[in-house]
């Protein structure tokens, strides 16, 4: 791995983007100093102070823990330029004005350390032109770095070099951005708007053209171009509102100002659409102004109608026939859409054809290979597949023929023909641009492999493109067993021998009795033959908890006894994991809810991706945690109290009780740590693709250090007096109308369990004792009519029922 160390980062510009980049650096524990102009009135750092205060209010939250806002060091250009000398990386993120940026570079250049990298976070200005203001000694260490908004949640970062950028500088920066920041890096050529915005905004403009041509409304278009099309659920117009119509207009203007009909044959389509121009004129900039293409009034969603200039009721859906078409295999899907007689089908074919056409024509100039375009569109615009991947899957030659026929017939947005490489040579022979040898580079006229840096060795199963034939984590390694929806396997890779992996593959990784049994068997096998066990699955889900659909039939057939027996078995598996003689490491990514949370907290250690959402959510279906979640809360409270000077357990119990009673879910790994579902000793991994590597390393290190499980011991509980105190507060909430009578009943049961039931304060209990209380309370709720209403409501609609 690169030895380039980033000990501190400076961010220049405390605007929306700069402040959020600073917030993300704090999230991943990188010291950061945020600069802006000196305020004309009041404290000189007033501009930065206000920006940091605003971070606490933004949604979605830029900070993993709002309290960490204080970790952002504040500075201004008048007094603090010497602080730049302490920074290994300087990210300039001021407004998109070439003259302002150049002036700033002249001011800061004398203060930049001799080893430091300077990078501009611009969405489309020429990096080469920006570099011209720099002294010769700094030019080799200057490049572009384009974060997508919001930086915490968007995976894509584009790196852009200049003719004078040293290759090692980009390699060092990519290593930092990949592993420390946890992002997916695409290297773009220095062309207007780089890759993702060039292709994405051109696609959005093309979509607006086709919308006008086929006479569709924004609500129907969003229904067609969201999840049904394999794109972000927000579709086209809602996405524009979220991004900001002023931001979109700025990117469009960059295309207008820096391209022409000679450099881009699609240039005629880059005029500002009338509807966008009108909304900008009205100051309706999207979500930030609470009105854009859509507007929410009370509970009603309205859409902007250009003809009337008014907002009218929205909510129209696409014809169901097109939803069915979009579920077909790629080749059949495109054939049906192209042959469709309805405007919605013709529209869908048109925007897909336009995306294939634009990507093929510009591949040579904007990207090193087709892989960069596909990754950029997946990571920057939320697409399941990039344009080249879909084209290749649908049948390269046939789709190319259809696109060229439309171009020849004047149906396309440009008369530019598809490049010759589409029809002749290696791509045509391979049946597409992605092969096991690499992806097609139109500029080099060959297939090029994915760039390999030492940091990439930490990604055991990195994201790949269709056609690359990359190793599939669902089938890789040696399978030991695959029963009960759990694959137990080992990774056939040097350095990872001796650690067993268990991957749950039930729907949403729900924990059924079969899954629990298989996990218990995996622990037995690990104890007998391996150093440790890692529980990991290769997708965006750890586990959503107990499989209610599997539980209900058992209840109907065999009664409450069957449910109680299943719960006891699940609790026994949790205890088996906790007291295993080998380390059991849960590698958490995405949602770990209910039983998934319990599985994690009973493991020896947790390795969690930064965006891990962990919580005990059973209250949402009228239940309580039943696999040991409440026992964990009580035990942790006792452990924390014993490490303090106080004797009262209640203060240490309050947070855990509240988390369970209110079904709180950590909004990321940092928040999950605040709720107690992750510990200070656990590891948070910024890059989701490094999760398995780190978890395996942790399991090995723990085993090699002579791991021994915790000793079974009793612990203190708050007893009946503690329960009475909690219930007193619950009565006030119920009588005040904040919770329903059934909510009060559920919360009272939770209070009884976490305080140890009908015992004196300070009584010593075992985990098994508390788990028995959990089972009893859980089973009493299963037979309750209101809980059954909640369960059936969740199973049928996916939404909680309030009763």
């Amino acid at each position: 791995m690169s030895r380039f160390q980033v000990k501190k980062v400076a961010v220049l510009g405390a605007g929306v983007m700069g402040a959020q980049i600073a917030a993300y650096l704090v999230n991943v524990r990188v010291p950061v100093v945020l600069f802006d102009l000196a305020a004309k009135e009041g404290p000189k750092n007033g501009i930065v102070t206000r920006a940091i205060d605003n971070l606490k209010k933004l949604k979605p939250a830029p900070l993993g823990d709002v309290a960490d806002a204080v970790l952002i060091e504040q500075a201004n250009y008048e007094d603090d330029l010497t602080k730049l000398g302490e920074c290994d990386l300087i990210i300039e993120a001021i407004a998109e004005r070439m003259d302002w940026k150049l002036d700033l570079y002249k001011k800061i250049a004398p203060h930049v350390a001799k080893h430091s990298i300077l990078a501009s976070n611009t969405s489309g200005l020429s990096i080469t032109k920006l570099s011209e203001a720099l002294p010769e000694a700094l030019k080799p260490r200057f490049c572009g770095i384009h974060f997508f908004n919001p930086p915490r949640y968007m995976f894509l970062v584009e790196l852009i070099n200049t003719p004078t950028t040293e290759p090692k500088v980009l390699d060092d920066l990519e290593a930092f951005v990949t592993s420390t920041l946890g992002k997916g890096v695409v290297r773009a050529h220095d062309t207007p708007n780089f890759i993702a915005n060039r292709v994405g905004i051109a696609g959005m403009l093309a979509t607006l053209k086709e919308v006008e041509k086929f006479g569709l409304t924004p609500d129907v278009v969003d229904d067609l171009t969201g999840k049904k099309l394999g794109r972000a659920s927000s579709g086209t117009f809602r996405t524009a509102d979220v991004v900001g119509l002023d931001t979109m207009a700025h990117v469009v203007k960059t295309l207008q100002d820096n391209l022409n009909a000679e450099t881009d044959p699609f240039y005629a389509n880059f005029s500002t659409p009338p509807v966008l121009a009108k909304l900008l004129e009205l100051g309706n900039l999207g979500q930030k102004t609470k009105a854009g293409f859509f507007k929410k009034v009370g509970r009603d969603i309205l859409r902007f109608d250009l003809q009337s200039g008014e907002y009218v009721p929205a909510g129209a859906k696409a014809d169901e026939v097109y939803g069915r078409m979009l579920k077909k295999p790629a080749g059949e899907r495109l054939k049906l859409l192209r042959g469709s007689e309805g405007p919605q089908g013709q529209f869908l074919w048109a925007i897909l054809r336009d995306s294939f056409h634009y990507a093929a024509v510009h591949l040579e100039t904007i990207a090193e290979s087709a892989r960069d375009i596909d990754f950029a569109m997946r990571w920057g615009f939320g697409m399941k597949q990039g344009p080249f991947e879909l084209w290749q899957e649908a049948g390269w030659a046939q789709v190319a023929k259809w696109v060229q026929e439309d171009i020849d017939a004047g149906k396309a947005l440009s008369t530019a023909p598809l490049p010759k490489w589409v029809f002749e040579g290696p791509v045509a022979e391979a049946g597409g641009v992605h092969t096991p040898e690499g992806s097609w580079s139109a500029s080099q006229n060959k297939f090029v492999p994915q760039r390999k840096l030492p940091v990439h060795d930490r990604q055991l199963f990195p994201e790949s493109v269709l056609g690359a034939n990359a190793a599939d984590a669902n089938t890789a390694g040696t399978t030991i067993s695959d029963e009960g929806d759990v694959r137990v396997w080992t990774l056939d890779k040097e350095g990872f021998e001796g650690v067993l992996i268990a991957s749950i593959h039930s729907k949403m990784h729900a924990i059924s009795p079969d899954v629990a049994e298989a996990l218990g068997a995996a622990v037995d096998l690990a104890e007998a033959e391996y150093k440790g066990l890692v529980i990991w699955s290769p997708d965006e889900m750890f586990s959503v908890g107990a499989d209610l659909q599997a539980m209900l039939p058992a209840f109907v057939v065999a009664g409450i006894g069957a449910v109680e027996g299943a719960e006891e078995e699940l609790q026994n598996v949790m205890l088996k994991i906790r007291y295993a003689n080998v380390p059991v490491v849960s590698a958490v990514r995405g949602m770990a809810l209910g039983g998934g949370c319990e599985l994690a907290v009973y493991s020896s250690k947790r390795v969690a991706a930064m965006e891990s959402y962990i919580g005990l959510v059973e209250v949402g279906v009228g239940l309580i945690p039943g696999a040991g979640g409440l026992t964990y809360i009580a035990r942790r409270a006792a452990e924390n109290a014993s490490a303090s000077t106080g004797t009262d357990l209640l203060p240490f119990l309050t947070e855990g009780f509240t988390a369970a009673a209110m079904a709180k879910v950590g909004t990321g790994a940092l928040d999950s740590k605040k709720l107690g579902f992750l510990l200070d000793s656990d590891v948070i991994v910024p890059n989701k693709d490094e999760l398995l590597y780190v978890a395996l390393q942790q399991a090995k290190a723990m085993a090699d250090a002579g791991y021994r499980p915790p000793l079974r011991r009793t612990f203190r509980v708050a007893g009946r007096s503690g329960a009475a105190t909690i219930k007193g507060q619950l009565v006030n909430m119920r009588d005040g109308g904040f919770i329903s009578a059934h909510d009060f009943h559920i919360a009272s049961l939770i209070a009884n369990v976490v305080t140890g039931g009908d015992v004196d304060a300070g009584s010593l209990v075992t985990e098994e004792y508390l788990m028995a209380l959990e089972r009893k309370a859980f089973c009493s709720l299963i037979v309750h009519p209101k809980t059954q209403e909640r369960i059936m409501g969740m199973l049928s609609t996916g939404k909680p029922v309030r009763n």
Side-chain angles (χ1 to χ4, degrees):
M1 187 179 296
S2 169
R3 294 184 61 83
F4 177 69
Q5 297 292 318
V6 178
K7 297 175 183 176
K8 192 172 188 178
V9 176
V11 177
L12 311 182
V16 173
M17 201 64 185
Q20 289 196 69
I21 292 171
Y24 187 71
L25 288 163
V26 165
N27 289 346
V28 295
R29 298 301 182 252
V30 175
V32 59
V33 53
L34 180 60
F35 280 81
D36 212 302
L37 297 169
K40 294 181 180 178
E41 297 179 0
K44 279 195 171 182
N45 288 334
I47 294 173
V48 176
T49 301
R50 287 191 292 274
I52 293 173
D53 288 341
N54 190 52
L55 288 172
K56 303 172 187 177
K57 306 169 190 173
L58 285 179
K59 298 294 181 184
L63 289 159
D65 182 351
V66 172
D68 286 344
V70 298
L71 299 178
I72 301 174
E73 185 180 349
Q74 302 182 27
N76 66 80
Y77 301 128
E78 283 188 12
D79 301 335
D80 303 311
L81 287 180
T82 54
K83 291 183 178 181
L84 294 176
E86 306 166 6
C87 299
D88 308 291
L89 171 62
I90 300 168
I91 300 173
E92 171 270 304
I94 69 171
E96 293 284 273
R97 283 274 301 268
M98 179 73 73
D99 54 340
W100 290 0
K101 290 177 186 284
L102 295 179
D103 285 346
L104 180 61
Y105 293 173
K106 291 174 184 175
K107 181 182 290 188
I108 67 169
H111 304 279
V112 176
K114 292 182 179 180
H115 71 285
S116 182
I117 294 174
L118 173 63
S120 175
N121 180 67
T122 173
S123 60
L125 296 180
S126 170
I127 304 301
T128 301
K129 287 184 180 178
L130 287 172
S131 72
E132 293 171 359
L134 298 172
E136 292 300 317
L138 187 49
K139 286 182 179 181
R141 292 178 279 123
F142 177 74
C143 63
I145 181 169
H146 180 210
F147 288 85
F148 270 63
N149 191 21
R152 173 182 170 184
Y153 301 96
M154 297 301 291
F155 189 57
L156 176 64
V157 171
E158 294 175 317
L159 297 183
I160 310 98
N161 69 330
T162 75
T164 55
T165 305
E166 281 186 8
K168 184 179 182 300
V169 165
L170 278 191
D171 288 349
D172 287 343
L173 191 53
E174 180 169 344
F176 171 73
V177 171
T178 298
S179 196
T180 303
L181 302 190
K183 300 301 183 183
V185 171
V186 165
R187 298 210 189 171
H189 291 169
D190 188 13
T191 55
N193 289 345
F194 314 127
I195 297 176
N197 275 341
R198 177 71 176 273
V199 177
I201 296 300
M204 196 168 282
L205 290 170
T207 298
L208 292 174
K209 286 276 187 183
E210 303 293 1
V211 165
E212 187 178 346
K213 177 179 176 181
F214 291 104
L216 303 179
T217 58
D219 43 6
V220 170
V221 170
D222 278 2
D223 190 38
L224 287 169
T225 60
K227 284 187 176 181
K228 291 176 180 176
L229 197 61
R231 298 184 177 181
S233 58
S234 51
T236 299
F237 292 97
R238 177 62 184 149
T239 296
D241 277 351
V242 171
V243 169
L245 304 192
D246 52 342
T247 301
M248 179 180 172
H250 169 76
V251 179
V252 170
K253 192 172 189 307
T254 302
L255 293 177
Q256 294 167 346
D257 292 348
N258 294 282
L259 295 170
N260 54 50
E262 292 183 7
T263 55
D264 194 317
F266 293 79
Y267 185 75
N269 301 291
F270 294 162
S271 58
T272 304
V275 64
L276 178 59
K278 183 63 177 177
L279 288 168
L280 292 170
E281 179 188 328
L282 293 170
N284 294 354
L285 307 180
Q287 184 170 278
K288 67 181 77 174
T289 60
K290 303 188 184 305
F293 287 108
F294 294 101
K295 179 181 181 180
K296 189 173 183 181
V297 179
R299 294 185 177 181
D300 297 326
I301 303 295
L302 308 179
R303 63 172 175 82
F304 184 72
D305 178 66
L306 180 61
Q307 289 186 333
S308 66
E310 302 290 337
Y311 283 90
V312 300
K317 299 292 183 182
D319 292 342
E320 291 184 9
V321 65
Y322 299 108
R324 292 194 294 271
M325 283 185 188
L326 292 173
K327 292 179 180 178
K328 301 285 186 182
E332 185 180 353
R333 183 192 323 156
L334 296 192
K335 182 178 180 181
L336 288 169
L337 292 175
R338 187 169 188 263
S340 174
E341 296 183 359
Q344 294 179 21
Q346 292 174 16
F347 162 77
L348 284 171
W349 162 251
I351 63 172
L352 291 172
R353 175 203 62 215
D354 297 341
S355 70
F356 302 150
H357 189 189
Y358 195 86
V361 166
H362 290 290
L363 173 59
E364 181 176 356
T365 56
I366 68 174
E368 181 181 71
S369 76
R371 176 180 49 249
D372 295 319
I373 289 181
D374 281 345
F375 275 159
M377 297 313 294
R378 277 162 50 173
W379 298 343
F381 281 82
M383 295 183 176
K384 287 186 177 179
Q385 290 181 304
F388 286 119
E389 289 180 289
L390 176 57
W391 181 351
Q392 184 164 331
E393 184 184 8
W396 184 265
Q398 179 61 74
V399 174
K401 181 173 180 290
W402 287 338
V403 173
Q404 189 59 53
E405 285 175 357
D406 278 13
I407 296 169
D408 295 340
K411 296 179 180 179
L413 294 180
S414 169
T415 58
L418 290 175
K420 286 185 179 181
W421 57 259
V422 170
F423 299 100
E424 303 171 3
V427 171
E429 293 166 9
V433 292
H434 301 306
T435 69
E437 291 74 38
S439 294
W440 183 251
S441 171
S443 58
Q444 300 178 50
N445 202 37
K446 65 179 182 179
F447 294 106
V448 295
Q450 193 162 357
R451 184 176 290 100
K452 191 71 174 173
L453 299 175
V455 70
H456 297 144
D457 291 338
R458 295 167 60 88
Q459 301 181 6
L460 301 177
F461 298 99
E463 283 196 55
S464 185
V465 287
L466 179 86
N469 289 358
D472 182 356
N474 293 299
T475 56
T478 300
T479 300
I480 309 300
S481 67
D482 194 349
E483 298 175 354
D485 284 327
V486 177
R487 180 182 178 232
V488 179
W489 57 291
T490 56
L491 185 67
D492 299 334
K493 193 175 180 71
E494 185 178 353
F496 297 102
E497 305 90 348
V499 181
L500 203 58
I501 305 169
S503 298
I504 304 172
H505 53 77
S506 55
K507 184 178 180 181
M508 299 186 77
H509 304 174
I511 302 174
S512 65
D514 288 344
V515 168
E517 183 180 351
L519 289 174
V523 173
D524 291 337
L525 180 60
E527 286 184 319
E529 302 180 26
Y530 294 88
K531 286 184 174 183
L533 172 66
V534 169
I535 302 173
W536 171 84
S537 296
D539 56 19
E540 299 287 348
M541 187 83 63
F542 183 70
S543 172
V544 296
D547 188 345
L548 293 175
Q549 288 181 312
M551 184 183 298
L552 286 180
F555 170 59
V556 172
V557 173
I560 197 64
V563 174
E564 186 170 6
E567 281 299 297
E568 186 171 11
E569 285 301 312
L570 187 52
Q571 291 176 343
N572 289 338
V573 168
M574 296 300 173
L575 291 175
K576 176 180 280 192
I577 289 171
R578 173 165 165 75
Y579 294 108
N581 285 310
V582 293
V584 179
V585 177
S586 278
V588 180
R589 172 180 168 189
M591 290 189 289
L593 306 178
C597 174
E598 290 166 318
L599 181 60
V601 299
Y602 274 85
S603 298
S604 315
K605 196 181 192 73
R606 287 139 297 279
V607 174
M610 182 64 71
E611 295 308 320
S612 296
Y613 305 92
I614 308 174
L616 297 168
V617 296
E618 288 84 353
V619 169
V621 288
L623 293 169
I624 67 165
L630 299 184
T631 301
Y632 168 79
I633 288 171
R635 175 174 58 79
R636 286 293 301 160
E639 290 170 350
N640 289 334
S642 66
S644 76
T645 56
T647 58
D648 186 4
L649 270 173
L650 272 182
F652 299 94
L653 194 58
T654 301
E655 188 173 82
F657 165 79
T658 304
M662 297 184 66
K664 283 189 176 181
V665 176
T667 55
L670 296 178
D671 195 41
S672 297
K673 182 179 285 190
K674 283 180 62 180
L675 293 176
F677 300 130
L678 294 176
L679 308 180
D680 288 338
S681 57
D682 292 331
V683 179
I684 297 176
V685 181
N687 195 310
K688 59 185 175 56
D689 292 329
E690 295 183 0
L691 191 64
L692 179 59
Y693 173 90
V694 176
L696 290 169
Q697 294 283 26
Q698 288 290 319
K700 279 184 57 185
M702 292 169 73
D704 291 344
Y707 174 80
R708 298 293 302 172
L711 295 173
R712 294 175 183 262
R713 65 180 67 208
T714 58
F715 50 90
R716 290 191 303 130
V717 290
R720 64 178 75 86
S721 60
T725 301
I726 295 173
K727 288 177 187 178
Q729 296 171 343
L730 293 174
V731 167
N732 292 334
M733 294 180 68
R734 180 196 62 194
D735 294 348
F738 297 103
I739 59 175
S740 69
H742 194 49
D743 291 328
F744 173 80
H745 176 59
I746 297 168
S748 296
L749 291 175
I750 292 173
N752 280 335
V753 175
V754 297
T755 57
D758 189 16
V759 297
D760 294 334
S763 294
L764 296 175
V765 301
T766 64
E767 288 170 297
E768 289 82 358
Y769 166 80
L770 284 182
M771 284 184 168
L773 292 182
E774 272 191 57
R775 285 199 309 276
K776 182 179 178 181
F778 184 93
C779 291
S780 73
L781 286 169
I782 276 282
V783 298
H784 198 293
K786 288 192 177 293
T787 285
Q788 292 177 6
E789 283 179 23
R790 292 191 182 188
I791 292 174
M792 296 310 296
M794 180 63 76
L795 292 177
S796 59
T797 68
K799 297 179 180 179
V801 174
R802 304 269 33 109
N803 57 4

